[in-house]
Amino acid sequence: PLPSHGAFFALVKLNQDPDLVRERLVREYSTGVVSFASAQSLRIAFCSMTVQGIPELARRTVASLEA
């Protein structure tokens, strides 16, 4: 499993370039995440959002992956 750092952060493994996905999230959805190219992952910071915001972040991330 990927590290979660006490559930404050999560790494999401991608099957495409995480930098491109991160750029799409910022450009098209005004959503900031951190990309880790070496792990081909995005880091999601749960500590900086509300529980209610998680489904919308997931929707935006999926949309960015499908673009």
Side-chain angles (χ1 to χ4, degrees), residues 28-56:
E28 298 175 20
Y29 300 99
S30 298
T31 299
V33 297
V34 177
S35 62
F36 282 95
S38 62
Q40 198 156 348
S41 301
L42 292 179
R43 185 180 79 166
I44 308 293
F46 293 121
C47 58
S48 66
M49 61 189 308
T50 65
V51 170
Q52 295 80 8
I54 293 172
E56 180 61 19

